Amino acid sequence: MMIGASSFAGGLKELDDHVQSVELYMPKLGVYEGSKLQKDRLKMVLDELSTCDLRTSMHAHYFADVPTYPKELVVDTASMDKPHFSLMEECIELAGRLGTKAVVLHPGRVGDDREASLKRMISNLERLSAFAAENNVMLGLENKEATDPGNLCCEAQELLSVVDAVNSPNLGVTFDVGHANLTCGGDPQKLAAFVKTISEHVVHVHLHDNYGFWTSNYDGDEHMAPGSGNIDYSVLKELKGYKGIYNLEVFSMDDVLAGKKVIGEYVEP
């Protein structure tokens, strides 16, 4: 197991001094012009990465309706067409080349018909999982926050039902403790039960903090440094046998360093 941080928290060289892994956040890595991957820009990133002693995870494209997210890179896994598959498969192929530990996928949106959306998402994930198998890549479907009612797979049981339906050795769960805290309303007992339910399926972990309730800022999904909100990180001990990356999904190096101190009691790098 190892401690990692997302690429938007700091430069690769800086991260290399403090963590063992970087999560390459593909939509915001600055390597796209519209929806077209710019190979020269990507090469610059990979060249710098090659000078660091960092393992990698990767965050694939997802649905976001905010000005800071490129519209051309929006992917709703419950409603995918050829251009969306191209983006995701491009990401998975790159992960295979890098020997990436896990590729994070977001569940799709509820839409007008929840069951129909779930069915489409399962079909899309079957295709992506088959492509991941060809590239020796593990995918992790992330639990989302229930403070946004448009999200699928916020509750542990629905998340697992999708993973079970896809039934691929190349698809597991990315456990996001901040999202789970919001879904559980900040209740530590409910959060512990959530972790126990998904524990055996977890292939990747996201760590950040919040207050467990909706706010006008990202529906409460504040992505603060661990220790800044109300999450009790002893809940990580419920991840029995997990040996993967604990990725600090925060926005600055100060938050990375603060988060490392808090979770160090529960996670050995």
Side-chain angles (χ1 to χ4, degrees):
M1 60 185 149
M2 63 186 76
I3 305 297
S6 295
S7 56
F8 48 67
L12 293 176
K13 296 286 191 183
E14 194 174 15
L15 289 170
D16 194 24
D17 290 335
H18 299 288
V19 295
Q20 294 77 48
S21 174
V22 60
E23 184 149 304
L24 298 174
Y25 207 82
M26 291 304 293
K28 297 186 179 180
L29 208 56
V31 296
Y32 286 92
E33 190 69 44
S35 62
K36 187 172 178 57
L37 181 65
Q38 303 299 297
K39 294 183 179 180
D40 56 336
R41 297 184 195 174
L42 178 62
K43 184 177 184 301
M44 290 177 63
V45 174
L46 298 184
D47 284 349
E48 184 178 4
L49 182 63
S50 71
T51 67
C52 302
D53 186 22
L54 288 168
R55 301 300 298 268
T56 59
S57 57
M58 194 173 290
H59 201 304
H61 315 75
Y62 58 95
F63 176 87
D65 187 19
V66 292
T68 54
Y69 188 94
K71 291 183 178 180
E72 300 88 351
L73 301 181
V74 168
V75 175
D76 175 355
T77 50
S79 183
M80 293 178 67
D81 294 319
K82 185 177 179 179
H84 306 120
F85 280 107
S86 295
L87 284 170
M88 300 294 267
E89 290 173 357
E90 198 169 51
C91 179
I92 292 168
E93 190 173 29
L94 175 60
R97 284 170 46 199
L98 294 177
T100 293
K101 287 287 189 181
V103 175
V104 178
L105 306 182
H106 276 196
R109 303 289 288 173
V110 171
D112 296 330
D113 186 326
R114 188 183 200 94
E115 291 306 313
S117 295
L118 282 167
K119 186 175 180 180
R120 288 195 305 270
M121 183 172 69
I122 289 166
S123 177
N124 294 338
L125 291 174
E126 287 173 343
R127 173 171 166 176
L128 293 176
S129 297
F131 190 77
E134 293 173 8
N135 287 272
N136 195 29
V137 168
M138 176 60 71
L139 306 178
L141 186 64
E142 183 175 352
N143 59 291
K144 287 293 285 173
E145 69 280 4
T147 45
D148 179 352
N151 289 327
L152 291 169
C153 296
C154 300
E155 301 291 345
Q157 291 296 345
E158 184 169 79
L159 182 70
L160 291 186
S161 72
V162 170
V163 172
D164 287 344
V166 174
N167 191 28
S168 167
N170 293 83
L171 179 68
V173 168
T174 292
F175 169 56
D176 188 300
V177 68
H179 293 167
N181 191 53
L182 289 167
T183 296
C184 296
D187 185 321
Q189 291 183 327
K190 289 181 180 178
L191 181 60
F194 188 107
V195 180
K196 287 178 182 178
T197 300
I198 65 169
S199 177
E200 293 182 6
H201 301 270
V202 173
V203 298
H204 191 56
V205 173
H206 279 172
L207 301 176
H208 53 98
D209 215 334
N210 56 57
Y211 297 110
F213 56 79
W214 185 92
T215 68
S216 58
N217 188 35
Y218 302 118
D219 300 303
D221 189 20
E222 304 279 358
H223 283 262
M224 301 184 300
S228 302
N230 74 342
I231 296 176
D232 178 358
Y233 285 88
S234 66
V235 74
L236 297 176
K237 293 181 178 180
E238 300 293 346
L239 291 171
K240 307 298 185 185
Y242 177 69
K243 302 295 183 184
I245 299 168
Y246 291 85
N247 190 73
L248 289 158
E249 200 177 34
V250 295
F251 297 130
S252 71
M253 285 305 306
D254 285 345
D255 284 356
V256 169
L257 298 177
K260 278 183 66 179
K261 289 180 181 178
V262 171
I263 67 170
E265 182 179 348
Y266 311 109
V267 177
E268 291 291 334

